[in-house]
Amino acid sequence: MSVNERSATSPAVPASKGSGLKKIVAASMVGTVVEWYEFFLYATAATLVFGKYFFPATGNELDGIIQAFLTYAVGFVARPLGGIVFGQIGDKLGRKPTLQLTIVIIGVSTFLMGCLPGFATLGYLAPALLVFLRFIQGFALGGEWGGAVLLVAEHSPNKTRGFWSSWPQAAVPVGNLLATLVLFIMSNMLSAADFLSWGWRVAFWLSAVIVFVGYYIRTHVSESPIFLEAKAQLESEQAVSYGVREVIRKYPKGILQSMGLRFAENIMYYLVVSFSIVYLKTVDKYDTSSLLLALLIAHLVHFLIIPQIGRLVDSWGRKPVYLVGAITGATWPFFAFPMFDTRNPVIIVLAVTIGLCLHAFMYAGQPALMSELFPTRMRYAGVSLGSQVTSIFAGSLAPLLATQWLKDTGSWLPTAVYLVVACAITTVAVLSLKETKGIALEDVDRADAEREGLSVAAVR
């Protein structure tokens, strides 16, 4: 049967509506909240605790933080490997079982981090074990994001895919907010010595409870109809391939575009939520509780604004909204760091919140935009690979480089230039894209079939 015949005789798979779609969004969000709670818990603890607890004292506070950020970067190095492995599994077996597996792995590794003795007890074995668990955590997270956003994107109506698929993105600041909230409560309830000794561990141990909830909810979601059709065809058609090797061979441009989209967004996020803490704590001597409170407020606003920008992605288009984020994001450090230097709590909260709002213009539309770059048979692999490879030289290095530059120069200006360059790269990536607002994922599959000289039945 030809492509045209298939198109004429087979209607598009209907998208989930009403409570069914809301249930899928909720399941995706809960799991994402759990996993990013644990991932960002490490980021905050690396800034506030790990530099002192897991590494020897050198007399310079920034040295311990830099060492902690190096272990933090290990998780980012592991993420592309997770994206490759779980992307392959997700395209073959399904989004649902992959997401169930990743949440368990991250939960176990995070709980064990809370059990680790420090440098005073184990010496260099302590940071070695921390690095190992961080690697496992990052490996699992590398497969989480693609599955979570695709589960929603593939169920969403074409005209509102930007809005619905932005909700898993909104779950990320919720997870970060919960991690920050737990640390904020513990740091206020305990003395500095008790917080450093054992208080921080409670936040890591709580992950076990949250994981049970997230896993249970994810057992009650269904695969998307478009994926089930693609899976059935992959099982019956020897000529059709899927997964990482296939997407690299057939869609290298899509992977590069995804990487470009991710670059500035990933760097900006970690400068706002991680390096801001370093700067405020070491340069402006801002106290820990006030820092955590500022982040709590900013994360809450971030959560509220992401779905609203998701609506703009559907009405304005993918490219215009992303360009707003990339261009305005480049301006953030030039007004944010002077605002930090005022040491005024309201102004500091405003600076961090503005940063996350500008970031949201890039972040909200990512799932819809990236899912529309790849056909169903290799979508999980393409989205995971494009987004997670970027994290090695973007988010993992951003706080580390910024902290090193601060130590070497005493200035935030090198970090500002760094973000400007990153935003320029992302702008070029956005301009290279075709506008895909309102496109049907079935049409993406159909174009893939025409490109490969296959019938649509062979890929759907």
Side-chain angles (χ1 to χ4, degrees):
M1 182 179 290
S2 70
V3 171
N4 291 335
E5 289 171 338
R6 172 80 179 186
S7 177
T9 60
S10 179
V13 176
S16 300
K17 297 181 180 179
S19 60
L21 180 55
K22 291 178 181 178
K23 179 181 177 180
I24 290 165
V25 170
S28 179
M29 286 188 67
V30 169
T32 303
V33 166
V34 172
E35 305 211 15
W36 287 96
Y37 164 85
E38 294 160 349
F39 200 77
F40 286 123
L41 180 63
Y42 189 102
T44 307
T47 304
L48 301 177
V49 178
F50 290 173
K52 299 175 182 178
Y53 191 77
F54 286 102
F55 299 94
T58 63
N60 187 328
E61 185 179 6
L62 288 175
D63 286 335
I65 295 175
I66 289 171
Q67 290 173 318
F69 276 143
L70 283 170
T71 68
Y72 182 58
V74 169
F76 286 88
V77 173
R79 283 166 67 173
L81 297 177
I84 292 172
V85 172
F86 292 112
Q88 192 81 4
I89 295 172
D91 279 330
K92 183 176 184 180
L93 300 181
R95 284 59 167 137
K96 176 180 174 178
T98 308
L99 290 174
Q100 290 173 309
L101 180 59
T102 57
I103 196 173
V104 171
I105 295 174
I106 290 188
V108 171
S109 60
T110 306
F111 180 84
L112 291 177
M113 284 180 188
C115 301
L116 287 178
F119 185 85
T121 304
L122 294 182
Y124 286 100
L125 180 59
L129 290 173
L130 182 67
V131 167
F132 172 75
L133 291 174
R134 174 63 174 168
F135 183 90
I136 297 300
Q137 186 191 54
F139 177 78
L141 187 62
E144 155 65 23
W145 183 80
V149 298
L150 290 185
L151 193 65
V152 177
E154 290 180 342
H155 278 89
S156 300
N158 299 328
K159 292 183 178 180
T160 54
R161 185 177 298 117
F163 170 70
W164 288 111
S165 62
S166 71
W167 280 100
Q169 302 290 76
V172 173
V174 174
N176 204 348
L177 187 150
L178 289 176
T180 307
L181 178 61
V182 171
L183 290 173
F184 174 74
I185 292 172
M186 298 306 297
S187 67
N188 275 279
M189 290 177 59
L190 302 172
S191 66
D194 285 341
F195 178 74
L196 184 61
S197 175
W198 62 268
W200 62 273
R201 298 180 183 276
V202 175
F204 284 78
W205 291 336
L206 284 174
S207 66
V209 178
I210 306 174
V211 162
F212 281 121
V213 176
Y215 182 86
Y216 174 79
I217 293 177
R218 281 190 169 175
T219 61
H220 291 77
V221 299
S222 59
E223 296 285 3
S224 66
I226 193 172
F227 170 76
L228 292 176
E229 287 195 15
K231 180 182 177 182
Q233 291 300 330
L234 285 170
E235 292 172 349
S236 62
E237 297 281 347
Q238 296 295 323
V240 182
S241 187
Y242 67 94
V244 175
R245 183 179 300 179
E246 182 76 352
V247 78
I248 292 174
R249 188 165 66 94
K250 298 294 179 62
Y251 288 88
K253 181 179 179 181
I255 294 174
L256 290 174
Q257 288 172 323
S258 297
M259 293 172 67
L261 292 173
R262 180 80 161 145
F263 192 61
E265 173 271 310
N266 201 225
I267 287 173
M268 183 173 183
Y269 188 84
Y270 287 98
L271 290 179
V272 175
V273 302
S274 294
F275 180 65
S276 291
I277 297 178
V278 175
Y279 186 87
L280 287 165
K281 191 168 178 61
T282 60
V283 175
D284 293 327
K285 306 302 179 184
Y286 213 61
D287 69 279
T288 299
S289 294
S290 298
L291 282 173
L292 293 173
L293 180 60
L295 283 175
L296 277 175
I297 296 170
H299 291 321
L300 178 60
V301 174
H302 198 209
F303 163 71
L304 295 173
I305 198 172
I306 286 175
Q308 306 312 315
I309 295 177
R311 292 185 187 277
L312 294 181
V313 169
D314 288 322
S315 59
W316 292 4
R318 282 46 167 154
K319 292 178 64 173
V321 174
Y322 219 105
L323 284 173
V324 168
I327 294 170
T328 60
T331 69
W332 177 77
F334 295 99
F335 62 79
F337 287 100
M339 291 172 75
F340 291 156
D341 290 338
T342 66
R343 302 182 186 180
N344 182 305
V346 175
I347 295 178
I348 288 172
V349 169
L350 188 61
V352 176
T353 302
I354 291 174
L356 289 182
C357 288
L358 298 180
H359 166 267
F361 277 87
M362 292 184 278
Y363 199 53
Q366 266 185 18
L369 216 169
M370 290 188 183
S371 68
E372 292 157 358
L373 289 175
F374 304 100
T376 304
R377 65 191 175 103
M378 59 184 88
R379 182 171 293 124
Y380 201 139
V383 168
S384 295
L385 195 61
S387 63
Q388 301 307 331
V389 167
T390 314
S391 66
I392 295 179
F393 49 88
S396 69
L397 293 179
L400 176 64
L401 290 174
T403 304
Q404 186 65 56
W405 290 329
L406 180 63
K407 177 186 175 184
D408 293 341
T409 69
S411 172
W412 51 264
L413 189 58
T415 298
V417 174
Y418 173 53
L419 183 58
V420 169
V421 172
C423 287
I425 292 172
T426 292
T427 298
V428 171
V430 176
L431 293 174
S432 74
L433 294 167
K434 294 181 179 178
E435 179 57 62
T436 54
K437 180 182 74 171
I439 192 173
L441 296 182
E442 291 80 9
D443 289 341
V444 178
D445 288 352
R446 199 167 289 120
D448 177 62
E450 292 175 346
R451 172 179 171 175
E452 299 302 314
L454 303 169
S455 68
V456 176
V459 295
R460 292 190 53 236

